[in-house]
Amino acid sequence: MNAFRLSWLVFCALVLAGSFAELPVGYWWTWLPAGIGIALLVWMGRTARAQHAVRPPAVEVDAPVRGRWSAVNSPANKVPSHGTYAYGQAYAIDIVAEPEPEPTPEPESTPKSESEPGSDSTAPSSRPAFAWLWPIVRRNRDFPAFGEPLLAVADATVVHASDGQRDHLSRNSLPALVYLMLFESAVRELAGAHRITGNHVVLGLGNGTYAMYAHLRRGSLQVRTGDRVVAGQPLGHCGNSGNSTEPHVHFQLMDHPDLDIARGVPFRWRGVGVPLSGEPFVG
């Protein structure tokens, strides 16, 4: 992965330098690093497919959230669930909060002007739908998943924990999604795995299995590297950092704490199983 990133960084540097000055190498030599990057990508893809030819047994753990949620990009639908084996994501899942619709309130006899101040709740009762054009972006607090607690799925040791990256605005409109896919994701890829996952926690579950939670809220971590945690213990809060379209939880099991070399491990959530994409569940 480091060689892949380096090849594309060299290519970008050569293209940028060639825009301002005459390079001492021929034009086609500029494309050599890009060719190396593409060759590495093909090789890594074939190697990953061979490594995942035999599906390992699923590891049963607790669900990382409580309440009503819905699955997105589920390994119950396809593997690799996110379209790539990179970063140990083969069996990863994304989940978004889907609160139960609130009942229609009864008409109040008291005039609105006489109601008590501060009685309206600011918590969103539903998840905003994807917008084809407007609004281009939304605030994170418009999404019910933002700020929800994330829980340890088993007794474990915190192997890595970081929460210094900002929570950006949503990318759940067509213009914002195009920007994410064509520009932002590529920049994050070159910057390294930590810019893809954003704020994240890696737990060592034992027996060579690790759990990773991605896109946590900035400054929300309640654990540090080296801490021992018990199942159900709060780790931090759901956020929108890293390569993310909206506040959600990215969860995966893997066989190594280093995302650049980790391979995915299947999971089952105790009492839930593996929900299909679009399937609501209660953690």
Side-chain angles (χ1 to χ4, degrees), residues 127-275:
R127 174 180 166 229
F130 181 84
W132 289 105
L133 184 60
W134 191 264
I136 296 177
V137 296
R138 292 181 183 271
R139 298 169 299 180
N140 289 314
R141 63 175 177 267
D142 292 339
F143 295 83
F146 189 69
E148 285 296 302
L150 306 182
L151 312 175
V153 296
D155 297 346
T157 300
V158 179
V159 176
H160 179 76
S162 64
D163 67 350
Q165 298 183 50
R166 70 182 181 89
D167 295 286
H168 55 72
L169 297 173
S170 77
R171 309 285 190 255
N172 71 327
S173 70
L174 183 59
L177 185 61
V178 169
Y179 161 77
L180 173 69
M181 300 300 292
L182 296 184
F183 177 73
E184 184 178 351
S185 292
V187 173
R188 291 185 181 279
E189 183 78 44
L190 293 178
H194 69 290
R195 291 296 177 183
I196 297 289
T197 59
N199 303 319
H200 62 285
V201 177
V202 178
L203 302 181
L205 308 185
N207 299 317
T209 303
Y210 300 84
M212 197 272 286
Y213 307 66
H215 314 307
L216 274 67
R217 184 176 185 177
R218 185 177 188 175
S220 71
L221 279 178
Q222 298 172 242
V223 295
R224 296 182 298 177
T225 300
D227 285 355
R228 285 287 302 170
V229 297
V230 297
Q233 179 176 333
L235 304 174
H237 296 148
C238 176
N240 195 34
S241 57
N243 200 57
S244 171
T245 57
E246 66 177 86
H248 72 284
V249 181
H250 174 104
F251 176 83
Q252 66 187 51
L253 295 186
M254 51 194 185
D255 66 356
H256 198 280
D258 186 342
L259 293 170
D260 278 339
I261 61 177
R263 291 182 295 179
V265 173
F267 71 89
R268 284 187 60 82
W269 286 333
R270 198 168 285 113
V272 175
V274 184

Side-chain angles (χ1 to χ4, degrees), residues 10-191:
V10 171
F11 170 71
C12 293
L14 289 173
V15 171
L16 184 62
S19 302
F20 296 96
E22 186 74 25
L23 296 178
V25 296
Y27 171 78
W28 292 108
W29 284 101
T30 303
W31 292 87
L32 179 61
I36 294 174
I38 293 172
L40 286 171
L41 184 64
V42 172
W43 176 77
M44 288 188 295
R46 290 180 176 177
T47 302
R49 284 192 293 273
Q51 291 173 339
H52 288 85
V54 178
R55 183 183 180 119
V59 176
E60 187 174 61
V61 294
D62 292 341
V65 293
R66 296 291 182 265
R68 189 174 187 268
W69 294 70
S70 180
V72 185
N73 299 326
S74 172
N77 293 84
K78 66 174 184 176
V79 176
S81 57
H82 287 59
T84 177
Y85 293 101
Y87 308 126
Q89 296 185 91
Y91 306 99
I93 192 171
D94 293 335
I95 56 175
V96 292
E98 296 279 8
E100 289 283 359
E102 294 184 356
T104 303
E106 294 292 332
E108 296 182 3
S109 58
T110 305
K112 187 175 182 180
S113 58
E114 298 179 11
S115 61
E116 294 184 5
S119 59
D120 292 337
S121 173
T122 58
S125 59
S126 62
R127 174 180 166 229
F130 181 84
W132 289 105
L133 184 60
W134 191 264
I136 296 177
V137 296
R138 292 181 183 271
R139 298 169 299 180
N140 289 314
R141 63 175 177 267
D142 292 339
F143 295 83
F146 189 69
E148 285 296 302
L150 306 182
L151 312 175
V153 296
D155 297 346
T157 300
V158 179
V159 176
H160 179 76
S162 64
D163 67 350
Q165 298 183 50
R166 70 182 181 89
D167 295 286
H168 55 72
L169 297 173
S170 77
R171 309 285 190 255
N172 71 327
S173 70
L174 183 59
L177 185 61
V178 169
Y179 161 77
L180 173 69
M181 300 300 292
L182 296 184
F183 177 73
E184 184 178 351
S185 292
V187 173
R188 291 185 181 279
E189 183 78 44
L190 293 178

